[in-house]
């Protein structure tokens, strides 16, 4: 049985982006559609198929290259390839992880208390300004903190108990922010990211992950009721006809895109606008409008411009740009993720695990909306440059030069081309 599980895990990690894209469709969207006899189930399968077409092209190509390298004898089998010596000071990585965690918690709570991104501010059309606008890019540091905690755990700088305590702090901060904003989407997205990252890095036993998902499913109706009560207390109307189970009808969200077809320019940011929004802080560009594809879609569907509605990641991209662009987008995501291999050491490489986490929490998030999440990813990359600099200068070990063995491939090349698992 263990050998079978190992094989399944190796296959999953050889096609990681396909796994991440497929998971919500297989575990959530399609079961909901089948259970509720949704007549648009074939459209959900179609959306899944065009996304996976992009990821599989890249991952299958890499798998073929690895297989060819092995057959030619230029790399050794994964099992016999020794792990490279660690290049990081575990205790210093742990210190940086704790520091980033504290900064992210303070930034999230302060930004929420200043009124940034609250539902009330969205209804009133108020954009972040002053200190709130400065803090906005640091909101996503919760993802960076999570990644660095994982790296510190596998490098040996933090025990598993300590890591779980710090992750608990991040979760409590997300819950507090959700109660202030009266919006649960950010907290739910963080929890989904935690589950996916824990699975890919083997942070906790799989049984814990399954148990956690079960607990969330049981708690959701209560959380939904509390959220509605908070919204009512803030003077925001709540649709009493929409129940907690209705809110989970993600299959209906996807299928609705089929009514309108692909290729709609609603004023969503293009390539250059995405770079502007992603690379230039709002404090330096205060005159620009807010970015929300969900708001644009909701207004297009006849709703108000301060409320959001999406068709979920793949169908939203298809609605905006069509099938070919969706394939290209997910092929690009797969290429970015595969560049972070080898998988067996990724959790012990802080740069790599941070980039993977940002991909999982951004363009590959289960409930993300393009191009908003790409812009958020760029903003986060800009803000964490100092973190990367500190990692490089303070937490990285100095390495003596290694004599090159001309007759054999270098260990660095072996690590990069080794099996995806």
């Amino acid at each position: 049985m263990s050998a079978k599980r190992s094989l399944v895990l190796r296959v999953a990690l050889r096609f990681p982006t396909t796994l991440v894209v497929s998971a919500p469709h297989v575990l959530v969207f399609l079961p909901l559609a089948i259970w509720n006899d949704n007549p648009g189930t074939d459209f959900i399968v179609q959306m899944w198929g065009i996304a996976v077409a992009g990821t599989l092209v890249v991952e299958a190509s890499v798998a073929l290259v690895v297989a060819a390298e092995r057959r030619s004898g230029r790399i050794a089998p994964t099992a016999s390839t020794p792990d490279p010596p660690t290049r990081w000071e575990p205790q210093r990585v742990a210190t940086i992880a704790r520091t980033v965690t504290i900064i992210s918690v303070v930034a999230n709570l302060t930004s929420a208390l200043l009124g940034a991104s609250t539902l009330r501010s969205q209804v009133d059309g108020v954009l972040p300004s002053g200190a709130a606008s400065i803090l906005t890019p640091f909101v996503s540091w919760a993802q960076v903190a999570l990644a660095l905690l994982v790296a510190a755990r596998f490098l040996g700088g933090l025990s598993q108990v300590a890591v779980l305590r710090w992750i608990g702090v991040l979760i409590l901060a997300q819950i507090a922010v959700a109660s202030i904003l009266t919006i649960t989407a950010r907290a739910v997205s963080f929890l989904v990211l935690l589950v996916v990252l824990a699975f890919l890095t083997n942070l906790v036993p799989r049984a814990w992950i399954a148990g956690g998902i079960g607990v969330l499913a049981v708690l959701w109706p209560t959380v939904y009721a509390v959220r509605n009560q908070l919204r009512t207390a803030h003077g925001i109307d709540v649709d009493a006809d929409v129940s907690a189970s209705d809110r989970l009808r993600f299959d209906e969200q996807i299928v609705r895109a089929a009514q309108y077809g692909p290729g709609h320019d609603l004023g969503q940011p293009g390539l250059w606008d995405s770079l502007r929004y992603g690379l230039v802080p709002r404090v330096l560009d205060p005159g620009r409008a807010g970015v929300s594809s969900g708001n644009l879609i909701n207004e297009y569907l006849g709703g108000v411009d301060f409320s959001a509605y999406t068709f979920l990641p793949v169908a939203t991209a298809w609605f905006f740009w069509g099938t070919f662009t969706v394939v290209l987008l997910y092929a690009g995501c797969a290429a970015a993720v595969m560049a972070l291999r080898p998988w067996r050491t990724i959790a012990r490489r802080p740069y790599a695990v941070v980039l993977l986490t940002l991909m999982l929490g951004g363009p590959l998030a289960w409930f993300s909306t393009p191009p908003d999440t790409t812009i958020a990813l760029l903003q986060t990359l800009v803000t964490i440059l100092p973190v990367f600099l500190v990692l490089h200068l303070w937490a990285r070990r100095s390495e003596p030069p290694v004599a090159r063995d001309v007759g054999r491939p270098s260990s660095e090349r072996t690590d990069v081309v080794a099996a995806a698992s």
Side-chain angles (χ1 to χ4, degrees):
M1 181 64 71
S2 61
K4 182 177 180 180
R5 285 200 299 267
S6 178
L7 175 62
V8 171
L9 185 60
R10 286 203 304 271
V11 172
L13 294 182
R14 193 177 296 279
F15 302 94
T17 313
T18 300
L19 169 69
V20 172
V21 173
S22 298
H25 289 83
V26 173
L27 300 177
V28 181
F29 306 153
L30 282 173
L32 283 172
I34 294 171
W35 177 262
N36 293 284
D37 197 22
N38 192 324
T41 302
D42 57 340
F43 181 75
I44 298 176
V45 175
Q46 177 189 344
M47 292 297 99
W48 176 26
I50 61 176
V52 167
T55 61
L56 280 178
V57 165
V58 173
E59 292 173 335
S61 298
V62 172
L64 290 174
V65 170
V66 170
E69 292 281 353
R70 282 187 179 150
R71 285 196 300 269
S72 67
R74 280 184 274 181
I75 61 172
T78 305
S80 62
T81 303
D83 286 344
T86 179
R87 301 174 180 177
W88 303 93
E89 292 286 354
Q91 295 302 325
R92 291 183 175 181
V93 173
T95 300
I96 295 171
R98 289 190 293 260
T99 303
V100 171
T101 300
I102 293 171
I103 292 174
S104 73
V105 169
V106 171
N108 271 272
L109 292 175
T110 305
S111 176
L113 291 171
L114 290 175
S117 302
T118 64
L119 191 58
R120 181 76 264 170
S121 68
Q122 293 179 26
V123 172
D124 297 337
V126 177
L127 294 174
S129 60
S133 65
I134 295 174
L135 291 172
T136 297
F138 295 92
V139 167
S140 57
W141 272 34
Q143 299 178 8
V144 182
L146 177 60
L148 290 175
L149 289 171
V150 170
R153 163 70 182 95
F154 286 96
L155 284 169
L158 288 174
S159 67
Q160 185 175 49
V161 173
V163 167
L164 294 179
R165 280 202 303 262
W166 282 102
I167 290 177
V169 170
L170 289 172
I171 293 174
L172 290 175
Q174 292 295 319
I175 294 173
V177 169
S179 65
I180 296 171
L181 302 182
T182 67
I183 299 174
T184 56
R186 187 187 298 177
V188 171
S189 297
F190 181 81
L191 290 175
V192 172
L193 169 63
L194 174 59
V195 167
V196 175
L197 187 64
F199 175 82
L200 290 177
T201 61
N202 202 26
L203 179 63
V204 295
R206 303 290 191 269
W208 292 21
I209 297 175
I213 294 173
V215 170
L216 291 176
V218 171
L219 291 178
W220 169 243
T222 303
V223 172
Y224 185 79
V226 171
R227 187 205 69 168
N228 285 351
Q229 291 173 3
L230 290 173
R231 290 187 175 185
T232 302
H234 285 80
I236 300 170
D237 293 333
V238 175
D239 190 349
D241 294 332
V242 180
S243 66
S245 57
D246 293 333
R247 187 62 186 84
L248 298 178
R249 287 301 307 275
F250 302 116
D251 57 313
E252 290 185 335
Q253 283 185 248
I254 298 173
V255 168
R256 193 170 181 184
Q259 302 175 24
Y260 306 100
H264 295 269
D265 185 357
L266 306 185
Q268 68 271 14
L271 175 61
W272 296 114
D273 282 335
S274 296
L275 292 175
R276 171 192 172 192
Y277 277 82
L279 300 179
V280 180
R282 178 174 291 278
V283 69
L284 301 178
D285 189 11
R288 70 192 188 200
V291 177
S292 174
S293 297
N295 289 2
L296 293 174
I297 292 174
N298 194 62
E299 190 175 10
Y300 174 81
L301 299 181
V304 293
D305 60 358
F306 56 77
S307 184
Y309 187 94
T310 76
F311 308 119
L312 301 187
V314 182
T316 298
W318 176 83
F319 173 80
F320 281 149
W321 302 297
T323 300
F324 182 68
T325 300
V326 171
V327 174
L328 288 181
L329 285 174
Y330 281 91
C333 289
V337 171
M338 293 304 284
L340 302 176
R341 295 175 307 123
W343 287 104
R344 58 188 168 74
T345 61
I346 192 169
R348 294 189 284 114
R349 292 180 287 131
Y351 296 148
V353 74
V354 167
L355 294 175
L356 174 65
T357 304
L358 294 180
M359 287 295 298
L360 295 176
L364 294 176
W366 286 18
F367 309 108
S368 64
T369 306
D372 305 25
T373 47
T374 303
I375 292 171
L377 172 62
L378 292 175
Q379 289 176 341
T380 304
L381 287 175
V382 171
T383 62
I384 64 173
L385 289 178
V387 177
F388 279 179
L389 181 61
V390 172
L391 277 169
H392 182 77
L393 296 179
W394 188 59
R396 194 176 180 89
R397 288 177 178 168
S398 59
E399 298 177 77
V402 179
R404 185 175 180 182
D405 187 347
V406 179
R408 299 175 60 187
S410 68
S411 60
E412 180 179 0
R413 182 170 182 275
T414 300
D415 286 334
V416 172
V417 189
S421 60

